[in-house]
Coordinates of all heavy atoms in Angstrom, one line a residue:
M25 N 81.6 52.5 127.5 CA 80.3 52.8 127.9 C 79.4 52.8 126.8 O 79.2 53.9 126.2 CB 80.3 54.1 128.8 CG 80.1 54.1 130.1 SD 80.0 55.7 130.9 CE 81.5 55.7 131.7
S26 N 78.8 51.8 126.5 CA 77.9 51.8 125.2 C 76.6 52.6 125.3 O 76.0 53.0 124.4 CB 77.6 50.4 124.9 OG 76.8 49.8 125.9
R27 N 76.3 52.9 126.5 CA 75.0 53.7 126.8 C 75.3 55.3 126.9 O 74.5 56.0 127.0 CB 74.4 53.2 128.0 CG 74.2 51.9 128.1 CD 72.8 51.5 128.0 NE 72.5 50.1 128.0 CZ 71.4 49.5 128.4 NH1 70.4 50.2 128.9 NH2 71.3 48.3 128.4
L28 N 76.5 55.6 126.7 CA 76.9 57.0 126.7 C 76.5 57.6 125.4 O 76.8 57.1 124.3 CB 78.5 57.2 127.0 CG 79.1 58.5 126.7 CD1 78.5 59.5 127.9 CD2 80.6 58.5 126.8
S29 N 75.8 58.7 125.5 CA 75.2 59.4 124.3 C 76.3 60.5 123.9 O 76.6 60.7 122.8 CB 73.9 60.0 124.7 OG 73.5 60.8 123.6
S30 N 76.8 61.3 124.9 CA 77.6 62.4 124.6 C 78.3 62.7 125.9 O 77.9 62.6 127.1 CB 76.8 63.5 124.1 OG 77.5 64.7 123.8
A31 N 79.5 63.5 125.8 CA 80.2 64.0 126.8 C 80.8 65.5 126.6 O 81.3 65.6 125.5 CB 81.3 63.2 127.4
S32 N 80.4 66.4 127.4 CA 80.9 67.8 127.1 C 81.6 68.3 128.3 O 81.1 68.0 129.5 CB 79.7 68.7 126.8 OG 79.1 68.2 125.6
S33 N 82.6 69.2 128.0 CA 83.2 70.0 129.2 C 82.3 71.2 129.2 O 82.2 72.0 128.4 CB 84.6 70.3 128.9 OG 85.1 71.2 129.9
C34 N 81.9 71.4 130.5 CA 80.9 72.7 130.7 C 81.6 73.7 131.8 O 81.0 74.2 132.5 CB 79.7 72.3 131.1 SG 79.5 71.1 132.4
S35 N 82.9 73.8 131.7 CA 83.7 74.6 132.7 C 84.6 75.5 131.9 O 84.5 75.8 130.8 CB 84.5 73.7 133.6 OG 85.4 72.9 132.9
E36 N 85.5 76.2 132.7 CA 86.4 77.0 132.0 C 87.2 76.3 130.9 O 87.5 76.9 129.8 CB 87.5 77.6 133.1 CG 86.9 78.4 134.1 CD 87.4 78.1 135.5 OE1 88.1 77.1 135.7 OE2 87.2 79.0 136.4
A37 N 87.5 75.1 131.1 CA 88.2 74.3 130.0 C 87.4 74.3 128.7 O 87.9 74.3 127.6 CB 88.5 72.9 130.5
G38 N 86.1 74.1 128.9 CA 85.2 74.0 127.7 C 85.1 75.4 127.0 O 84.9 75.5 125.8
R39 N 85.1 76.5 127.9 CA 85.0 77.8 127.3 C 86.3 78.3 126.8 O 86.3 79.3 126.0 CB 84.4 78.7 128.4 CG 83.0 78.6 128.7 CD 82.6 79.7 129.7 NE 83.4 79.8 130.9 CZ 83.2 79.2 132.1 NH1 82.2 78.3 132.2 NH2 84.1 79.4 133.0
G40 N 87.4 77.7 127.1 CA 88.7 78.2 126.7 C 89.3 79.1 127.5 O 90.3 79.7 127.1
D41 N 88.8 79.5 128.6 CA 89.4 80.5 129.6 C 89.9 79.9 130.8 O 90.0 80.5 131.9 CB 88.4 81.6 129.9 CG 87.2 81.2 130.5 OD1 87.0 79.9 130.7 OD2 86.3 82.1 131.0
H42 N 90.5 78.7 130.7 CA 91.1 77.9 131.8 C 92.6 78.2 132.0 O 93.2 78.9 131.1 CB 90.9 76.5 131.6 CG 91.6 75.9 130.5 ND1 91.3 76.1 129.1 CD2 92.7 75.2 130.5 CE1 92.0 75.5 128.4 NE2 93.0 74.9 129.0
D43 N 93.1 77.9 133.2 CA 94.5 78.0 133.4 C 94.9 76.7 134.1 O 94.2 75.8 134.2 CB 94.8 79.2 134.4 CG 94.1 79.1 135.6 OD1 93.9 78.0 136.2 OD2 93.8 80.3 136.1
A44 N 96.1 76.5 134.5 CA 96.7 75.3 135.1 C 96.0 74.8 136.3 O 96.0 73.6 136.6 CB 98.2 75.5 135.4
D45 N 95.4 75.7 137.1 CA 94.5 75.4 138.3 C 93.1 75.1 138.1 O 92.4 74.8 139.1 CB 94.8 76.5 139.4 CG 96.2 76.6 139.8 OD1 97.0 75.5 139.8 OD2 96.7 77.7 140.1
S46 N 92.6 75.2 136.8 CA 91.2 75.0 136.7 C 90.8 73.6 136.7 O 91.6 72.7 136.5 CB 90.9 75.6 135.2 OG 91.1 76.9 135.1
D47 N 89.6 73.3 137.2 CA 89.1 72.0 137.2 C 88.2 71.8 135.9 O 88.0 72.6 135.2 CB 88.2 71.8 138.5 CG 86.8 72.6 138.4 OD1 86.8 73.6 137.7 OD2 85.9 72.3 139.2
W48 N 87.8 70.5 135.7 CA 87.0 70.1 134.6 C 85.6 69.8 135.2 O 85.5 68.9 136.0 CB 87.7 68.9 133.9 CG 88.8 69.3 133.1 CD1 90.1 69.4 133.6 CD2 88.8 69.4 131.7 NE1 90.9 69.8 132.5 CE2 90.2 69.7 131.3 CE3 87.9 69.3 130.7 CZ2 90.5 70.0 130.0 CZ3 88.2 69.5 129.5 CH2 89.6 69.9 129.0
D49 N 84.6 70.3 134.6 CA 83.3 69.9 134.9 C 82.8 69.2 133.6 O 82.7 69.8 132.5 CB 82.4 71.1 135.2 CG 82.9 71.8 136.4 OD1 83.2 71.1 137.3 OD2 82.8 73.0 136.4
L50 N 82.5 67.9 133.8 CA 82.0 67.1 132.6 C 80.4 66.8 132.7 O 80.1 66.3 133.8 CB 82.8 65.9 132.5 CG 84.2 66.0 132.3 CD1 84.9 64.5 132.1 CD2 84.5 66.7 131.0
C51 N 79.7 67.1 131.7 CA 78.4 66.6 131.6 C 78.3 65.4 130.8 O 78.6 65.5 129.6 CB 77.5 67.8 131.2 SG 75.7 67.3 131.1
V52 N 77.8 64.3 131.3 CA 77.8 63.1 130.5 C 76.3 62.8 130.3 O 75.6 62.6 131.1 CB 78.4 61.9 131.3 CG1 78.2 60.6 130.6 CG2 79.9 62.2 131.7
L53 N 75.9 62.9 128.9 CA 74.6 62.6 128.6 C 74.4 61.1 128.4 O 75.1 60.5 127.7 CB 74.2 63.3 127.4 CG 74.3 64.9 127.3 CD1 73.8 65.5 126.0 CD2 73.4 65.4 128.6
L54 N 73.4 60.6 129.0 CA 73.2 59.1 129.0 C 71.8 58.9 128.2 O 70.9 59.7 128.2 CB 72.9 58.7 130.4 CG 74.1 58.9 131.4 CD1 73.8 58.6 132.8 CD2 75.4 58.1 130.9
N55 N 71.8 57.8 127.6 CA 70.6 57.4 126.9 C 69.5 57.2 127.9 O 69.7 56.8 129.0 CB 70.8 56.0 126.1 CG 71.7 56.3 125.0 OD1 71.9 57.4 124.4 ND2 72.4 55.2 124.6
D56 N 68.3 57.4 127.5 CA 67.1 57.3 128.5 C 66.7 56.0 129.0 O 66.1 55.8 130.0 CB 65.9 57.9 127.8 CG 66.0 59.5 127.7 OD1 66.7 60.1 128.6 OD2 65.5 60.0 126.7
D57 N 67.3 54.9 128.2 CA 66.9 53.6 128.7 C 67.9 52.9 129.8 O 67.6 51.9 130.2 CB 66.9 52.6 127.5 CG 68.2 52.5 126.8 OD1 69.1 53.3 127.1 OD2 68.4 51.6 125.8
I58 N 68.7 53.7 130.3 CA 69.6 53.3 131.3 C 68.8 53.1 132.6 O 68.1 54.1 133.0 CB 70.7 54.2 131.5 CG1 71.7 54.2 130.2 CG2 71.5 53.8 132.7 CD1 72.8 55.1 130.4
P59 N 68.9 52.0 133.4 CA 68.2 51.9 134.6 C 68.7 53.0 135.6 O 69.8 53.3 135.7 CB 68.6 50.5 135.0 CG 69.1 49.8 133.9 CD 69.6 50.8 133.0
P60 N 67.7 53.5 136.5 CA 68.1 54.6 137.4 C 69.2 54.1 138.4 O 69.2 52.9 138.8 CB 66.8 54.8 138.3 CG 65.7 54.3 137.3 CD 66.3 53.3 136.5
G61 N 70.2 55.0 138.7 CA 71.1 54.6 139.7 C 72.3 53.9 139.0 O 73.4 53.6 139.8
R62 N 72.4 53.6 137.8 CA 73.4 52.9 137.2 C 74.7 53.7 137.0 O 75.8 53.3 137.4 CB 73.0 52.3 135.8 CG 74.1 51.7 135.0 CD 74.5 50.3 135.6 NE 75.5 49.6 134.8 CZ 76.8 49.5 135.1 NH1 77.2 49.9 136.3 NH2 77.7 48.9 134.3
Y63 N 74.5 54.9 136.4 CA 75.8 55.7 136.3 C 75.6 57.0 137.1 O 75.1 58.0 136.7 CB 75.9 56.1 134.8 CG 76.2 54.9 133.9 CD1 75.3 54.5 133.0 CD2 77.5 54.4 133.9 CE1 75.5 53.3 132.2 CE2 77.8 53.3 133.1 CZ 76.8 52.9 132.3 OH 77.1 51.7 131.5
T64 N 76.0 56.8 138.4 CA 75.9 58.0 139.4 C 77.2 58.8 139.2 O 78.2 58.5 138.6 CB 75.8 57.3 140.8 OG1 77.1 56.7 141.0 CG2 74.7 56.5 140.9
P65 N 77.1 60.1 139.8 CA 78.3 60.8 139.8 C 79.5 60.1 140.3 O 80.7 60.2 139.8 CB 77.9 62.1 140.6 CG 76.4 62.2 140.4 CD 75.9 60.7 140.4
G66 N 79.4 59.4 141.4 CA 80.4 58.6 142.0 C 81.0 57.5 141.2 O 82.1 57.4 141.1
F67 N 80.1 56.8 140.4 CA 80.5 55.7 139.6 C 81.4 56.3 138.4 O 82.4 55.8 138.1 CB 79.3 55.1 139.0 CG 79.7 54.0 138.0 CD1 80.0 52.7 138.4 CD2 79.6 54.2 136.6 CE1 80.3 51.8 137.4 CE2 79.9 53.3 135.7 CZ 80.3 52.0 136.0
L68 N 80.9 57.4 137.9 CA 81.5 58.1 136.7 C 82.9 58.7 137.1 O 83.8 58.8 136.5 CB 80.7 59.1 136.1 CG 79.5 58.5 135.3 CD1 78.5 59.6 134.9 CD2 79.8 57.7 134.1
W69 N 82.9 59.3 138.4 CA 84.2 59.9 138.9 C 85.1 58.8 139.0 O 86.4 59.0 138.8 CB 83.9 60.5 140.2 CG 85.2 61.2 140.8 CD1 85.7 62.3 140.4 CD2 86.0 60.6 141.8 NE1 86.8 62.6 141.2 CE2 87.0 61.5 142.0 CE3 85.9 59.4 142.6 CZ2 88.1 61.3 143.0 CZ3 87.0 59.2 143.5 CH2 88.0 60.2 143.6
E70 N 84.9 57.6 139.4 CA 85.8 56.5 139.5 C 86.5 56.3 138.1 O 87.7 56.0 138.2 CB 85.2 55.2 139.9 CG 84.7 55.1 141.4 CD 85.9 55.1 142.4 OE1 87.0 54.5 142.0 OE2 85.8 55.7 143.4
A71 N 85.8 56.5 137.0 CA 86.4 56.4 135.7 C 87.5 57.4 135.3 O 88.3 57.2 134.5 CB 85.3 56.3 134.6
V72 N 87.4 58.6 136.0 CA 88.3 59.7 135.6 C 89.1 60.2 136.8 O 90.0 61.1 136.5 CB 87.4 60.9 135.1 CG1 86.7 60.5 133.9 CG2 86.5 61.5 136.2
R73 N 89.1 59.6 137.9 CA 89.7 60.1 139.1 C 91.3 60.1 139.0 O 91.9 60.9 139.7 CB 89.3 59.5 140.3 CG 89.8 58.0 140.4 CD 89.3 57.4 141.8 NE 89.8 56.0 141.7 CZ 90.1 55.4 142.8 NH1 90.0 56.0 144.0 NH2 90.5 54.2 142.8
D74 N 91.9 59.3 138.2 CA 93.3 59.1 138.1 C 93.9 59.9 136.9 O 94.9 59.6 136.5 CB 93.8 57.7 138.0 CG 93.5 57.0 139.3 OD1 93.4 57.6 140.4 OD2 93.2 55.8 139.3
R75 N 93.2 60.8 136.5 CA 93.6 61.6 135.2 C 94.5 62.8 135.5 O 94.9 63.5 134.5 CB 92.4 62.0 134.4 CG 91.5 61.0 134.0 CD 92.1 60.2 132.9 NE 91.2 59.1 132.5 CZ 91.6 58.1 131.9 NH1 92.8 58.0 131.5 NH2 90.6 57.1 131.6
G76 N 94.9 63.0 136.7 CA 95.9 64.0 137.1 C 95.2 65.4 137.0 O 95.9 66.5 137.0
A77 N 93.9 65.6 137.2 CA 93.2 66.8 137.2 C 92.0 66.8 138.1 O 91.4 65.7 138.3 CB 92.7 67.3 135.8
S78 N 91.5 67.9 138.6 CA 90.3 67.9 139.3 C 89.1 67.9 138.4 O 88.9 68.7 137.6 CB 90.2 69.2 140.2 OG 89.1 69.2 140.9
I79 N 88.3 66.8 138.5 CA 87.2 66.6 137.5 C 85.9 66.3 138.4 O 85.9 65.4 139.3 CB 87.5 65.3 136.7 CG1 88.8 65.6 135.9 CG2 86.3 65.1 135.7 CD1 89.2 64.4 135.1
Q80 N 84.9 67.0 138.0 CA 83.6 66.8 138.5 C 82.6 66.2 137.4 O 82.7 66.8 136.2 CB 82.8 68.1 139.0 CG 83.6 68.8 140.2 CD 83.5 67.9 141.4 OE1 82.5 67.3 141.7 NE2 84.6 67.9 142.2
V81 N 81.9 65.2 137.6 CA 81.2 64.5 136.5 C 79.8 64.6 136.9 O 79.4 64.1 138.0 CB 81.7 63.1 136.3 CG1 80.9 62.4 135.2 CG2 83.1 62.9 136.1
V82 N 78.9 65.0 136.0 CA 77.4 65.2 136.2 C 76.7 64.4 135.0 O 76.8 64.8 134.0 CB 77.0 66.6 136.1 CG1 75.4 66.7 136.3 CG2 77.8 67.5 137.1
P83 N 76.2 63.3 135.5 CA 75.4 62.6 134.5 C 74.0 63.2 134.3 O 73.4 63.7 135.2 CB 75.1 61.2 135.1 CG 75.3 61.4 136.5 CD 76.2 62.6 136.8
M84 N 73.5 63.1 133.0 CA 72.1 63.7 132.7 C 71.6 62.9 131.6 O 72.2 62.6 130.7 CB 72.3 65.2 132.3 CG 71.0 65.8 132.0 SD 71.2 67.6 131.3 CE 72.2 68.3 132.8
R85 N 70.3 62.5 131.8 CA 69.7 61.8 130.7 C 69.4 62.7 129.5 O 69.1 63.9 129.6 CB 68.3 61.2 131.2 CG 68.5 60.2 132.2 CD 67.2 59.5 132.6 NE 67.4 58.6 133.6 CZ 67.7 57.3 133.4 NH1 67.9 56.9 132.1 NH2 68.0 56.4 134.4
R86 N 69.4 62.2 128.3 CA 69.4 62.9 127.1 C 68.0 63.7 127.1 O 68.0 64.8 126.7 CB 69.4 62.0 125.9 CG 69.1 62.5 124.6 CD 70.0 63.5 123.9 NE 71.3 63.0 123.6 CZ 72.2 63.9 123.2 NH1 72.0 65.2 123.0 NH2 73.4 63.4 123.0
S87 N 67.0 63.0 127.5 CA 65.6 63.7 127.6 C 65.6 64.8 128.4 O 64.9 65.9 128.1 CB 64.5 62.6 127.9 OG 64.7 62.2 129.1
V88 N 66.2 64.8 129.5 CA 66.3 65.9 130.5 C 67.2 67.1 129.9 O 66.7 68.2 129.9 CB 67.0 65.6 131.9 CG1 67.3 66.8 132.7 CG2 66.2 64.5 132.6
F89 N 68.2 66.8 129.1 CA 69.0 67.8 128.5 C 68.1 68.4 127.4 O 68.0 69.7 127.3 CB 70.3 67.2 127.8 CG 71.0 68.1 127.0 CD1 71.9 69.0 127.6 CD2 70.8 68.2 125.6 CE1 72.6 70.0 126.8 CE2 71.5 69.1 124.8 CZ 72.4 70.0 125.5
E90 N 67.5 67.6 126.6 CA 66.7 68.2 125.5 C 65.4 69.0 126.0 O 65.1 70.0 125.5 CB 66.1 67.1 124.6 CG 67.1 66.4 123.9 CD 67.9 67.2 122.8 OE1 67.4 68.2 122.3 OE2 69.1 66.9 122.6
A91 N 64.9 68.6 127.1 CA 63.8 69.5 127.7 C 64.2 70.7 128.4 O 63.4 71.6 128.5 CB 63.1 68.6 128.8
T92 N 65.5 70.8 128.8 CA 65.8 72.0 129.6 C 67.0 72.8 129.0 O 67.4 73.9 129.7 CB 66.3 71.5 131.0 OG1 67.4 70.7 131.0 CG2 65.2 70.8 131.8
H93 N 67.5 72.5 127.9 CA 68.7 73.3 127.5 C 68.4 74.7 127.0 O 69.3 75.4 126.8 CB 69.4 72.5 126.3 CG 68.6 72.5 125.0 ND1 67.6 71.6 124.7 CD2 68.9 73.3 123.9 CE1 67.2 71.8 123.5 NE2 67.9 72.8 123.0
R94 N 67.1 75.0 127.0 CA 66.8 76.5 126.6 C 66.4 77.3 127.9 O 66.1 78.4 127.7 CB 65.6 76.5 125.6 CG 66.1 76.1 124.2 CD 64.9 76.2 123.3 NE 65.2 75.8 121.9 CZ 65.1 74.6 121.5 NH1 64.4 73.7 122.2 NH2 65.5 74.2 120.3
D95 N 66.3 76.6 129.0 CA 66.0 77.2 130.4 C 67.3 77.8 130.9 O 68.2 77.1 131.3 CB 65.4 76.2 131.2 CG 65.1 76.7 132.6 OD1 65.4 77.9 132.9 OD2 64.4 76.0 133.4
V96 N 67.4 79.2 131.0 CA 68.6 79.8 131.4 C 69.0 79.5 132.9 O 70.1 79.7 133.3 CB 68.5 81.3 131.4 CG1 68.4 81.8 129.9 CG2 67.4 82.0 132.3
N97 N 68.0 78.8 133.6 CA 68.4 78.4 135.0 C 68.8 77.0 135.2 O 68.9 76.5 136.3 CB 67.1 78.7 135.9 CG 66.7 80.2 136.0 OD1 67.6 81.0 136.2 ND2 65.6 80.5 135.8
A98 N 68.9 76.3 134.0 CA 69.3 74.9 134.0 C 70.7 74.7 133.6 O 71.3 75.4 132.7 CB 68.4 74.1 133.0
L99 N 71.3 73.6 134.2 CA 72.7 73.2 133.8 C 72.8 72.9 132.4 O 73.8 73.2 131.6 CB 73.1 72.0 134.7 CG 74.4 71.4 134.3 CD1 75.6 72.5 134.5 CD2 74.6 70.2 135.1
A100 N 71.8 72.3 131.8 CA 71.7 72.0 130.4 C 71.9 73.2 129.5 O 72.5 73.1 128.5 CB 70.4 71.3 130.1
Y101 N 71.5 74.4 129.9 CA 71.6 75.6 129.2 C 73.0 76.0 129.2 O 73.6 76.3 128.0 CB 70.8 76.7 129.9 CG 70.9 78.1 129.2 CD1 70.2 78.4 128.1 CD2 71.9 78.9 129.7 CE1 70.3 79.6 127.5 CE2 72.1 80.3 129.1 CZ 71.2 80.6 127.9 OH 71.4 81.8 127.3
D102 N 73.8 75.9 130.3 CA 75.1 76.2 130.2 C 75.9 75.2 129.4 O 76.9 75.5 128.7 CB 75.8 76.2 131.7 CG 75.1 77.3 132.5 OD1 74.9 78.4 131.9 OD2 75.2 77.1 133.8
V103 N 75.6 73.9 129.4 CA 76.3 72.9 128.6 C 76.1 73.3 127.2 O 77.0 73.2 126.3 CB 75.8 71.5 129.0 CG1 76.3 70.5 128.1 CG2 76.1 71.2 130.4
A104 N 74.8 73.5 126.8 CA 74.4 73.7 125.4 C 75.1 75.1 124.9 O 75.6 75.0 123.8 CB 72.9 73.9 125.1
R105 N 75.3 76.1 125.7 CA 75.9 77.3 125.3 C 77.4 77.3 125.3 O 78.0 77.8 124.4 CB 75.3 78.4 126.2 CG 75.8 79.8 125.8 CD 75.4 80.8 126.9 NE 76.2 80.5 128.1 CZ 76.1 81.0 129.3 NH1 75.2 81.9 129.4 NH2 76.9 80.8 130.3
D106 N 78.0 76.8 126.4 CA 79.4 76.9 126.6 C 80.2 75.6 126.5 O 81.3 75.5 126.5 CB 79.7 77.5 128.0 CG 79.2 78.8 128.2 OD1 79.2 79.7 127.2 OD2 79.0 79.2 129.3
G107 N 79.4 74.5 126.4 CA 80.1 73.2 126.5 C 80.9 72.8 125.2 O 80.5 73.2 124.1
L108 N 82.0 72.2 125.4 CA 82.9 71.7 124.4 C 82.6 70.2 124.2 O 82.9 69.5 125.2 CB 84.3 72.0 124.7 CG 85.4 71.3 123.8 CD1 85.3 71.9 122.4 CD2 86.7 71.5 124.4
V109 N 82.1 69.7 123.2 CA 81.9 68.4 123.0 C 83.0 67.5 122.9 O 83.8 67.8 122.0 CB 80.8 68.1 121.8 CG1 80.6 66.6 121.6 CG2 79.5 68.9 121.9
L110 N 83.3 66.6 123.9 CA 84.4 65.7 123.9 C 84.2 64.4 123.2 O 85.0 63.8 122.6 CB 84.9 65.5 125.3 CG 85.1 66.7 126.1 CD1 85.4 66.4 127.6 CD2 86.3 67.5 125.5
Y111 N 82.9 64.0 123.2 CA 82.5 62.6 122.6 C 81.0 62.9 122.2 O 80.2 63.4 123.0 CB 82.7 61.6 123.6 CG 82.0 60.3 123.1 CD1 82.7 59.4 122.2 CD2 80.9 59.9 123.6 CE1 82.2 58.3 121.7 CE2 80.2 58.8 123.1 CZ 80.9 57.9 122.2 OH 80.3 56.8 121.7
D112 N 80.6 62.4 121.0 CA 79.2 62.3 120.6 C 79.0 61.0 119.7 O 79.6 60.9 118.8 CB 79.0 63.6 119.7 CG 77.6 63.7 119.3 OD1 76.7 62.9 119.9 OD2 77.2 64.7 118.6
K113 N 78.2 60.1 120.4 CA 77.9 58.9 119.8 C 77.4 59.0 118.4 O 77.6 58.3 117.5 CB 77.1 58.1 120.6 CG 76.8 56.6 120.2 CD 76.1 55.8 121.2 CE 75.8 54.4 120.6 NZ 75.2 53.5 121.6
A114 N 76.6 60.0 118.2 CA 75.9 60.3 116.9 C 76.9 60.5 115.8 O 76.7 60.1 114.7 CB 74.8 61.4 117.0
S115 N 78.1 61.2 116.2 CA 79.1 61.5 115.1 C 79.8 60.2 114.8 O 80.4 60.2 113.6 CB 79.9 62.6 115.5 OG 80.7 62.1 116.7
E116 N 79.9 59.2 115.6 CA 80.5 57.9 115.2 C 79.9 57.2 114.1 O 80.5 56.7 113.2 CB 80.5 57.0 116.4 CG 81.5 57.3 117.6 CD 81.6 56.2 118.5 OE1 80.7 55.5 118.6 OE2 82.5 56.2 119.2
S117 N 78.5 57.4 114.0 CA 77.8 56.7 112.8 C 77.6 57.6 111.7 O 77.2 57.0 110.6 CB 76.5 56.2 113.4 OG 75.7 57.2 113.8
A118 N 78.0 58.8 111.8 CA 77.9 59.6 110.6 C 78.9 59.4 109.5 O 80.1 58.9 109.9 CB 78.0 61.1 111.0
P119 N 78.6 59.5 108.3 CA 79.6 59.3 107.2 C 80.7 60.1 107.2 O 80.7 61.3 107.7 CB 78.7 59.4 106.0 CG 77.5 60.0 106.3 CD 77.3 59.9 107.8

């Protein structure tokens, strides 16, 4: 997924207080230039459904994350506070 900006676990697994029955909540940050409707929750779920765990995938544009990550009522706040970064495109190009 070349348009993927970042992926974070924003659930018990990301916080480190999970157990064998915990599900995974993934927030996938997308570049803003992606056409609307391209990476829907259903489309992204197809990519992870056979991983042997219960996984919920929430796509979010990078600009939405940046605009709302300080709002305690926003999902982006939870992701910024508790999320475990699983992939970050910016770190790939870092020395």
Side-chain angles (χ1 to χ4, degrees):
M25 248 186 253
S26 63
R27 307 248 178 155
L28 174 65
S29 176
S30 179
S32 297
S33 172
C34 50
S35 59
E36 294 142 342
R39 290 188 305 270
D41 58 357
H42 64 285
D43 60 34
D45 295 324
S46 296
D47 67 341
W48 284 79
D49 298 318
L50 299 178
C51 180
V52 177
L53 297 183
L54 304 169
N55 293 333
D56 290 328
D57 61 349
I58 294 176
R62 175 68 177 111
Y63 294 107
T64 64
F67 177 85
L68 293 170
W69 181 79
E70 288 290 329
V72 299
R73 69 182 180 144
D74 295 330
R75 301 291 179 194
S78 177
I79 302 173
Q80 298 293 321
V81 185
V82 178
M84 184 182 302
R85 292 185 183 277
R86 168 70 63 186
S87 62
V88 172
F89 176 81
E90 293 299 332
T92 62
H93 75 276
R94 289 186 181 94
D95 178 353
V96 297
N97 296 311
L99 174 62
Y101 178 84
D102 294 330
V103 173
R105 187 189 65 190
D106 295 330
L108 171 67
V109 177
L110 304 173
Y111 170 81
D112 186 7
K113 186 175 184 174
S115 67
E116 283 187 343
S117 59

